[in-house]
């Protein structure tokens, strides 16, 4: 017997339809029409109640999978937990960050060499357009060592140490941005949801990931001012009422991934979809299931402008 989030019994036939989804009692209540868990295309999925941590939906929640740019949630989490962090500290952009993006064919915030940007701006650049250049800048800044390579490796070690501290027993990082170097950059839906829940407790993180767009100003190497306009690759924002984040990720081994969160009637849920070609529709279906609503069927996906990063 499977139990839904409102405590209602669900017939075994419904469990088969969910592709192996298992459900557990949670604090959210839902009307009868939301009693049956939706089927999602994700290879792995998980959803929890942010306030209590209780499970709302689970599909192969503990199977390890690559996570692409959702890795950057941990990059931000490590930075934000740095003692005496100064978000207004300025970092000078190095050509190496641009060269890295070019070599990897990675998503970019198009940070210009010589520009001076703040840590807060780098977090925006990493979390909205999924800038791998910004992720490298943060890893280089907050790692230790005498070379960029040494500092970024040091930072990745900090990411793994933080995973241990947070009890993410099925998670390991070999990169600061999800561009795996040794095929050992992986997590599980459950671990990633726990990580996102932890990150969302930081007001800076939560404030950034809910923005569909940001305009930031940086000082150039010649003392001028450069304007950066970054669009959030998470198209659930502005599409599903109440959506407040969190992060996209897409690459060949991972497939399309999405960490999502939404708040309705003062209730917040956080979910993860790994390798899901219908990630936004499925996220909306899961959120409807949690809230007892029916928004997914009429949701119109926010479009990204031409030239905006996709992830």
């Amino acid at each position: 017997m499977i139990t839904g989030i409102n405590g209602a019994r669900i017939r075994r036939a419904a469990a088969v339809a969910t592709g192996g989804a298992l459900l557990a009692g949670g604090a959210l209540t839902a009307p009868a029409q939301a009693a049956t868990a939706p089927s999602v295309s994700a290879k792995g999925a998980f959803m929890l109640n942010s306030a209590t941590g209780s499970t709302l939906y689970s599909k192969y929640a503990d199977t390890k999978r690559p996570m692409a740019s959702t890795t950057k949630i941990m990059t931000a989490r490590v930075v934000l937990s740095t003692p005496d962090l100064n978000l207004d500290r300025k970092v000078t952009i190095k050509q190496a960050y641009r060269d890295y993006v070019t070599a990897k064919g990675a998503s970019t915030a198009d940070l210009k060499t010589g520009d001076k940007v703040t840590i807060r701006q780098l977090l925006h650049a990493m979390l909205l357009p999924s800038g791998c250049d910004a992720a490298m800048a943060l890893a280089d800044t907050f790692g230790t060592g005498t070379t960029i390579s040494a500092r970024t490796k040091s930072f990745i070690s900090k990411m793994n140490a933080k995973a241990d501290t947070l009890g993410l027993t099925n998670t390991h990082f070999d990169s600061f941005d999800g561009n795996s170097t040794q095929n050992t950059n992986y997590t599980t839906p459950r671990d990633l949801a726990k990580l996102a829940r932890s990150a969302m407790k930081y007001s800076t993180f939560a404030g950034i990931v809910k923005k569909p767009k940001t305009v930031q100003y940086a000082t150039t190497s010649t003392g001028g001012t450069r304007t950066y306009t970054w669009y959030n690759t998470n198209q659930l924002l502005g599409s599903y009422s109440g959506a407040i984040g969190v992060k996209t990720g897409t690459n060949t081994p991972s497939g399309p991934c999405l960490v999502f969160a939404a708040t309705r009637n003062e209730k917040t849920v956080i979910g993860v979809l790994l390798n899901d070609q219908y990630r936004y529709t499925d996220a909306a279906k899961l959120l409807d299931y949690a809230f007892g609503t029916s928004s997914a069927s009429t949701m119109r996906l926010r479009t990204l402008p031409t030239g905006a990063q996709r992830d």
Side-chain angles (χ1 to χ4, degrees), residues 68-70 72 107 126 128-130 233-235 247-251 256-257 279-280 304 309-311:
S69 283
T70 63
K72 292 165 183 164
S107 51
M126 178 178 69
L128 269 67
S130 201
T233 57
N234 181 5
Q235 291 175 264
K247 186 72 189 74
T248 59
T250 305
N251 60 24
C257 302
R279 55 184 170 173
Y280 296 116
L304 294 171
Q309 293 294 296
R310 267 72 175 171
D311 181 30

Side-chain angles (χ1 to χ4, degrees), residues 24-78:
L28 300 184
T29 57
Q33 66 266 26
T36 302
S39 174
V40 297
S41 299
K43 300 295 185 183
F46 190 78
M47 185 169 61
L48 56 76
N49 181 323
S50 181
T52 65
S54 60
T55 300
L56 302 179
Y57 184 94
S58 179
K59 176 182 178 181
Y60 303 115
D62 300 306
T63 299
K64 298 173 184 177
R65 296 188 181 279
M67 61 186 124
S69 283
T70 63
T71 296
K72 292 165 183 164
I73 298 172
M74 180 58 92
T75 305
R77 179 68 177 76
V78 170

Side-chain angles (χ1 to χ4, degrees), residues 1-4 10-24 35-47 55-62 190 272-273 286 289:
M1 191 71 66
I2 296 175
T3 304
I10 302 172
R11 283 185 253 179
R12 185 164 297 280
V16 174
T18 64
L22 300 176
L23 304 148
T36 302
S39 174
V40 297
S41 299
K43 300 295 185 183
F46 190 78
M47 185 169 61
T55 300
L56 302 179
Y57 184 94
S58 179
K59 176 182 178 181
Y60 303 115
D62 300 306
R190 188 190 308 274
V272 172
L273 295 163
L286 288 176
Y289 173 64

Side-chain angles (χ1 to χ4, degrees), residues 58-183:
S58 179
K59 176 182 178 181
Y60 303 115
D62 300 306
T63 299
K64 298 173 184 177
R65 296 188 181 279
M67 61 186 124
S69 283
T70 63
T71 296
K72 292 165 183 164
I73 298 172
M74 180 58 92
T75 305
R77 179 68 177 76
V78 170
V79 169
L80 290 170
S81 62
T82 301
D84 301 318
L85 176 65
N86 178 8
L87 289 168
D88 295 319
R89 172 186 174 186
K90 290 191 175 182
V91 173
T92 301
I93 301 304
K94 300 175 183 177
Q95 181 63 36
Y97 308 156
R98 294 181 60 84
D99 292 343
Y100 171 81
V101 165
T102 300
K104 293 287 186 179
S107 51
T108 177
D110 197 23
L111 297 170
K112 303 299 185 183
T113 303
D115 281 9
K116 294 177 175 60
V117 298
T118 66
I119 299 301
R120 182 182 284 105
Q121 288 174 326
L122 285 174
L123 289 168
H124 279 82
M126 178 178 69
L127 295 170
L128 269 67
S130 201
C132 295
D133 45 355
M136 186 177 187
L138 288 168
D140 185 30
T141 300
F142 288 92
T144 58
T146 57
T147 65
I148 293 177
S149 176
R151 288 188 293 272
T152 54
K153 287 180 181 178
S154 163
F155 185 85
I156 294 166
S157 294
K158 292 183 179 184
M159 294 169 70
N160 285 311
K162 184 62 66 177
D164 289 343
T165 300
L166 294 174
L168 309 183
T169 55
N170 292 310
T171 296
H172 184 268
F173 299 98
D174 67 18
S175 73
F176 47 76
D177 61 356
N179 285 301
S180 181
T181 56
Q182 303 157 13
N183 295 320

Side-chain angles (χ1 to χ4, degrees), residues 158-230:
K158 292 183 179 184
M159 294 169 70
N160 285 311
K162 184 62 66 177
D164 289 343
T165 300
L166 294 174
L168 309 183
T169 55
N170 292 310
T171 296
H172 184 268
F173 299 98
D174 67 18
S175 73
F176 47 76
D177 61 356
N179 285 301
S180 181
T181 56
Q182 303 157 13
N183 295 320
T184 55
N185 202 86
Y186 57 80
T187 190
T188 65
R190 188 190 308 274
D191 274 7
L192 193 50
K194 287 169 65 176
L195 171 59
R197 183 185 181 216
S198 172
M200 289 292 278
K201 292 178 181 178
Y202 286 85
S203 59
T204 297
F205 182 91
I208 291 172
V209 297
K210 71 180 181 180
K211 297 179 182 178
K213 170 188 174 183
T214 188
V215 178
Q216 301 285 332
Y217 304 96
T219 303
T220 67
S221 59
T222 58
T225 300
R226 192 185 312 280
T227 302
Y228 286 103
T229 301
W230 295 313

